Amino acid sequence: MSNTIDNLLHEARRFAPSEQFAANAVATADLYERASADRLGFWADQARELLHWHTPFTSTLDWSNPPFATWFDDGALNVAYNCLDRHVLAGNGDRVAIHWEGEPGDTRTITYAELTAEVKKAANLLTALGVRAGDRVAIYLPMIPEAVIAMLAVARLGAVHSVVFGGFSAESLRSRIDDAEAKLVITADGGWRKGRVFPLKDAVDAALQGGDTTVEHVLVVKRGENEVAWTEGRDLWWHDEIALVDADHVAAAFPAENPLFILYTSGTTGKPKGILHTSGGYLTQAAFTHKNVFDLRPESDVYWCSADVGWITGHTYVVYGPLANGATQVLYEGTPETPHPGRWWELIEKYKVSIFYTAPTAIRSFMKLGRQHPQKFDLSSLRVLGSVGEPINPEAWMWYREVIGGGETPIVDTWWQTETGAIMVSALPGVTTLKPGSAQVPLPGISIDILDEAGVPVGKDQGGLLVVTEPWPSMLRGIWGDPERFKETYWSKFGDKYFAGDGARYDKDGEIWLLGRVDDVMNVSGHRLSTAEIESALVAHPLTAEAAVVGAADETTGQAVVAFVIIKQNQLEYAESIDVAAELRKHVSEQIGAIARPREIFIVNELPKTRSGKIMRRLLRDVAEGREVGDTTTLADTAVMSSIQSKLS
Ligand code: 6R9
């Protein structure tokens, strides 16, 4: 590993928790001690303390048949009961569960008692439609309360949901429906996005066209009020049907290992993987991490995670974690810039949000727009900020802390994956001294290491591949219908250590820095360079708003660094007057070393991103290598690639 990767790790800023925060923090340092003294006992305690078990478990982990783990196997619980009924029975029925805000400005306030009542009716409705424990239900909804209600109703019946992000095409929806053999689809006529209604029911119709499907019914929530086609006998309006069912529903207990959901995620090959999660272990780690990583006080906090329920972050940190913990949260339907670029900050002021969890890509686009937008609003209610989805470069971290967090709030950079189910590596607010750009330390009870290609653990100040060395409660239990691919993808490289597919490095203190997917780590003249590191250097330059770096095949050096850069709005005029590419190449060279100097820098207006905000480097690599651009169907905005290409030609 070359020294050139070190630049990021020389980040010297440190932020110790304030005395006051530390004194009142939910998480305490003794969690680490308890977990290292008796890891399984620690998780068993968490499962007992944080959840209600209809049948208590006696066994914690069974790892006798790796990589197939079971947790709390002989226990039984109901996931929805844990998220709803028990809070009402404990006297918290009047607490707001969801402050919902539609994009056009309409609102709904839903208490725990009301949410419980809605989910009971929905469970009765699904039962009437033939849904039984183990059946799969596809959910294709906008960010409206019914998305949460539908997920919990499915869970309440011991059935399995497969939420498909509303931005996915009919084709993607169809392949997911087929793979899971879903019996029911829950959708809406449409939802609001960027000031317009986008149709959803149309996509379901297109997906199911021609019949020959496992789907028996399509349940349609009215939201967009847009016209929809109707297939008699198959299609049903949610509001019509829900009016016909009983209000009461008793939650039955299901085994801890009962499947809870399938969530599809892209792998290195074309076919998405259906990641399978089960009940007891998943909910334990969801609740534990949500409480401790976000310093949650359910009686007083207002929490907001901006993720869509179509992603794992929405599953664990919009639905299961917060609701299992009885938190009050904001749910927002629309986009951050509608109808004005300060909408998110307006919502934080309006609902006095105290804990906010979002992605670096969002933070960087706000940086691009400028601090004048957040500064119009009172953000003083915020006391904890979180980041997830990709490495957060120190510049964005600092901006987040200063402009959004008033220079005071702790920021937790949380590393985890669809596969891990819940947060794995993160600081604990009030405990950890924060280091901008680093995810820092494994959570209590989580065993992480960094190995070299031969499987040997690397030392401080060295890099390699991130692995999870011991099973964890919310780990994926498999890939739906494909045990071989499960073994091959995650467990063939290092035996019974889970291979995450991320490059990582220990710094001099032995803390963890994520370096991006291993396929995003370049090899230039035998030196390993991280896309994250070069991007970070580029965005540290005053001209740069956003940057994406790819390794393009190069005859002499193996790979070469190619950068795509967006210039800040207020710097455009100045940029016209100089040779920007030369300036930025020099800058990277100064920041990291000549080896990292981009061979080419393309100035563009936009970067291709998935709907979850991840830069699609694969497409940029196609451009950089002069190939025809590959499959763009998962892009949030498919026009971006043509705009980039027109800039280059
Ligand atoms: C939760 C989620 C997982 C991949 C993961 C890694 C990247 C997520 C990160 C991070 C650096 C963080 N990632 N969080 N990289 N620092 N805090 O995003 O799940 O969509 O499955 O993506 O995202 O590369 O392997 P998912």
Side-chain angles (χ1 to χ4, degrees):
M1 176 88 51
S2 109
N3 292 332
T4 59
I5 213 164
D6 285 353
N7 181 55
L8 266 182
L9 306 142
H10 289 153
E11 173 60 53
R13 288 169 285 203
R14 299 285 181 277
F15 299 93
S18 75
E19 257 172 53
Q20 199 205 352
F21 199 107
N24 298 308
V26 170
T28 48
D30 76 296
L31 287 176
Y32 295 106
E33 284 155 37
R34 280 166 57 195
S36 63
D38 175 11
R39 198 179 81 90
L40 296 181
F42 171 81
W43 282 118
D45 288 348
Q46 298 307 328
R48 289 189 189 105
E49 277 168 32
L50 297 168
L51 306 183
H52 172 85
W53 294 83
H54 281 68
T55 311
F57 56 89
T58 61
S59 94
T60 300
L61 167 68
D62 182 350
W63 189 232
S64 58
N65 179 30
F68 300 95
T70 66
W71 283 83
F72 315 122
D73 195 27
D74 58 349
L77 77 170
N78 185 290
V79 170
Y81 177 93
N82 270 280
C83 293
L84 302 164
D85 311 52
R86 67 166 170 147
H87 303 313
V88 179
L89 294 170
N92 294 320
D94 291 340
R95 184 183 295 163
V96 173
I98 296 175
H99 288 292
W100 177 75
E101 175 119 354
E103 197 186 73
D106 49 337
T107 63
R108 282 164 74 182
T109 306
I110 305 173
T111 64
Y112 271 93
E114 289 163 344
L115 190 63
T116 305
E118 291 297 323
V119 171
K120 285 180 174 178
K121 281 192 285 178
N124 285 328
L125 170 52
L126 299 192
T127 305
L129 295 176
V131 176
R132 300 289 177 267
D135 287 346
R136 276 81 58 203
V137 176
I139 296 177
Y140 187 64
L141 283 170
M143 283 290 279
I144 55 177
E146 283 76 7
V148 179
I149 294 167
M151 288 165 77
L152 291 171
V154 171
R156 193 174 182 90
L157 298 175
V160 184
H161 56 69
S162 163
V163 182
V164 179
F165 176 60
F168 275 129
S169 63
E171 217 172 300
S172 308
L173 175 63
R174 175 66 193 239
S175 69
R176 285 159 174 77
I177 289 172
D178 286 352
D179 187 71
E181 299 176 288
K183 174 168 208 179
L184 174 71
V185 180
I186 306 178
T187 190
D189 46 0
W192 285 89
R193 208 186 132 76
K194 296 192 178 172
R196 279 193 308 239
V197 171
F198 66 95
L200 281 165
K201 170 71 165 56
D202 286 1
V204 176
D205 290 340
L208 300 181
Q209 208 172 26
D212 190 23
T213 163
T214 49
V215 173
E216 294 165 12
H217 289 288
V218 177
L219 196 51
V220 189
V221 179
K222 203 179 203 66
R223 165 63 187 153
E225 310 271 342
N226 48 317
E227 290 242 348
V228 290
W230 209 251
T231 304
E232 286 304 330
R234 186 195 70 183
D235 298 349
L236 304 163
W237 283 112
W238 172 286
H239 61 268
D240 285 344
E241 301 300 316
I242 208 101
L244 305 175
V245 297
D246 271 0
D248 205 19
H249 182 272
V250 179
F254 295 96
E257 284 296 340
N258 197 55
L260 177 61
F261 64 85
I262 304 167
L263 184 59
Y264 289 84
T265 182
S266 45
T268 42
T269 66
K271 187 176 184 279
K273 302 174 279 196
I275 304 299
L276 175 68
H277 283 286
T278 61
S279 305
Y282 171 79
L283 199 62
T284 298
Q285 198 173 325
F288 170 79
T289 52
H290 181 255
K291 174 183 162 192
N292 288 287
V293 173
F294 298 113
D295 194 57
L296 179 78
R297 284 184 198 80
E299 59 293 340
S300 53
D301 274 315
V302 178
Y303 163 86
W304 182 20
C305 167
S306 69
D308 191 283
V309 292
W311 309 112
I312 190 67
T313 306
H315 281 59
T316 309
Y317 298 106
V318 174
V319 181
Y320 293 110
L323 296 176
N325 288 333
T328 294
Q329 71 176 315
V330 171
L331 190 73
Y332 171 55
E333 178 186 34
T335 50
E337 67 280 5
T338 309
H340 61 80
R343 184 71 187 274
W344 275 16
W345 319 122
E346 183 181 45
L347 290 175
I348 289 177
E349 175 182 286
K350 175 174 176 185
Y351 293 106
K352 299 195 168 42
V353 172
S354 53
I355 305 171
F356 182 55
Y357 191 30
T358 192
T361 178
I363 299 163
R364 288 194 301 266
S365 30
F366 290 124
M367 287 173 75
K368 195 162 61 180
L369 290 169
R371 59 178 70 198
Q372 69 277 14
H373 299 293
Q375 278 172 349
K376 279 188 209 129
F377 300 94
D378 177 6
L379 307 180
S380 62
S381 54
L382 288 170
R383 57 180 204 86
V384 179
L385 300 175
S387 171
V388 60
E390 52 177 322
I392 175 164
N393 48 293
E395 293 314 308
W397 197 102
M398 291 304 301
W399 189 91
Y400 196 22
R401 176 159 164 119
E402 279 165 20
V403 180
I404 308 304
E408 275 177 30
T409 52
I411 297 178
V412 285
D413 175 7
T414 62
W415 178 87
W416 60 294
Q417 309 176 297
T418 304
E419 291 89 338
T420 69
I423 298 170
M424 302 291 278
V425 180
S426 170
L428 290 179
V431 178
T432 317
T433 291
L434 303 170
K435 217 180 253 183
S438 165
Q440 301 198 279
V441 281
L443 289 182
I446 299 297
S447 310
I448 300 271
D449 209 345
I450 301 174
L451 309 181
D452 68 15
E453 278 289 339
V456 180
V458 304
K460 284 184 183 173
D461 218 7
Q462 287 183 316
L465 302 169
L466 191 83
V467 294
V468 189
T469 58
E470 300 287 346
W472 64 102
S474 64
M475 68 194 281
L476 76 167
R477 299 302 197 263
I479 293 178
W480 185 257
D482 202 345
E484 282 315 308
R485 190 173 180 196
F486 173 55
K487 289 188 209 164
E488 164 66 31
T489 309
Y490 306 106
W491 308 95
S492 63
K493 198 168 175 70
F494 297 122
D496 63 359
K497 296 184 175 76
Y498 170 85
F499 170 58
D502 276 346
R505 191 174 168 96
Y506 288 122
D507 64 16
K508 292 188 177 59
D509 309 320
E511 294 196 333
I512 299 168
W513 293 70
L514 274 305
L515 303 173
R517 301 293 302 181
V518 280
D519 30 17
D520 290 339
V521 175
M522 295 166 284
N523 190 325
V524 180
S525 306
H527 302 284
R528 283 181 74 159
L529 292 171
S530 143
T531 51
E533 185 189 20
I534 301 173
E535 285 164 5
S536 185
L538 284 167
V539 294
H541 191 283
L543 285 176
T544 312
E546 232 184 315
V549 166
V550 297
D554 187 286
E555 254 176 36
T556 39
T557 57
Q559 279 186 311
V561 182
V562 176
F564 295 78
V565 171
I566 305 178
I567 302 296
K568 280 187 192 143
Q569 287 296 331
N570 61 2
Q571 299 286 341
L572 283 174
E573 222 175 75
Y574 170 67
E576 294 277 88
S577 69
I578 62 163
D579 183 348
V580 189
E583 165 67 23
L584 291 176
R585 292 176 78 233
K586 182 166 128 273
H587 171 75
V588 173
S589 201
E590 284 163 358
Q591 289 257 305
I592 306 176
I595 181 69
R597 185 171 54 214
R599 185 186 71 188
E600 280 157 301
I601 292 190
F602 296 118
I603 308 300
V604 295
N605 296 328
E606 272 182 283
L607 293 170
K609 287 181 187 160
T610 63
R611 295 175 180 95
S612 67
K614 288 192 172 52
I615 294 171
M616 288 196 75
R617 292 194 177 71
R618 174 172 62 79
L619 299 179
L620 293 174
R621 218 172 287 133
D622 289 346
V623 174
E625 299 182 352
R627 260 195 312 275
E628 206 185 318
V629 172
D631 185 5
T632 58
T633 49
T634 55
L635 279 179
D637 179 358
T638 42
V640 170
M641 285 318 293
S642 357
S643 137
I644 289 178
Q645 283 172 310
S646 70
K647 275 259 176 186
L648 307 186
S649 52

